[in-house]
Amino acid sequence: EIVLTQSPGTLSLSPGERATLFCRASQVVSDNYLAWYQQKPGQAPRLLIYGASSRASGIPGRFSGSGSGADFIVTISRLEPEDFAVYYCQQYGSSPPTFGQGTKVEIK
Amino acid sequence: QVQLVQSGAEVKKPGASVRVSCKASGYSFTGYYIHWVRQAPGEGLEWMGWINPYSDGTNYAQKYQGRVTMTSDTSINTVYMEMSGLTSDDTATYFCAREGAGSYSPFDYWGQGTLVAVSS
């Protein structure tokens, strides 16, 4: 199975700053079938990005995804208060689908 | 609108079984796979398996084979996840999630989660 490693584990930033989160796969992700999810405490994950770079419905333009092969990035251009959460990457091109361990974006 | 509504929290003793339901609405129930994902307290997301409500086909993570059964009832647009032989390590929130349309899609809608606590 494909192992996804996210970095950093925790990102401490202030509102208005730029956040850059990384996800590295143990092997090439088929057809860049890589998604990013946001999860807030007590809530279910929410799909942000799919296909490495496509925003899901209703996701603000400040979220962008990039990367290919085995290295992927999600960027939040200017952090809003509601963006402080845990972010997970997921590959869904190979079975079993797997998730990274998460990056927590916290208020500095 | 698409909704997945899960059953309420459960408290179980070690060795018991639990069944969690996930009722779908707002879309064609048999047109989409449903996956189950669990999250232990303070931990990350772990995929457990999927069910195809159209064919009742299933695919379980190797870790759960023989202990988890996923079923569906198309008459009430509901899928179920049953886990047997519970231990304290199974204490977690269990989510159902819909896989999007087409081959190879992410999980576009999620249930609210069901907390299963296993304690003697």
Side-chain angles (χ1 to χ4, degrees), chain B residues 51-91:
Chain B
I51 182 167
N52 177 351
Y54 177 77
S55 66
D56 280 335
T58 56
N59 181 28
Y60 304 133
Q62 189 168 9
K63 174 179 180 180
Y64 297 105
Q65 286 185 12
R67 205 160 73 91
V68 163
T69 302
M70 298 176 189
T71 57
S72 69
D73 185 339
T74 56
S75 69
I76 55 172
N77 289 1
T78 300
V79 298
Y80 301 92
M81 187 283 297
E82 183 167 10
M83 180 179 285
S84 61
L86 292 170
T87 72
S88 58
D89 289 341
D90 296 314
T91 293

Side-chain angles (χ1 to χ4, degrees), chain B residues 1 3 6 14-15 17 29 32 35 41 51 59 61-62 69 84 95 98 101 107 112 117-118:
Chain B
Q1 72 283 21
Q3 280 194 301
Q6 299 182 222
S17 297
F29 177 66
Y32 296 80
H35 295 248
I51 182 167
N59 181 28
Q62 189 168 9
T69 302
S84 61
F95 295 99
R98 190 187 84 162
F107 302 165
Q112 82 277 18
V118 183

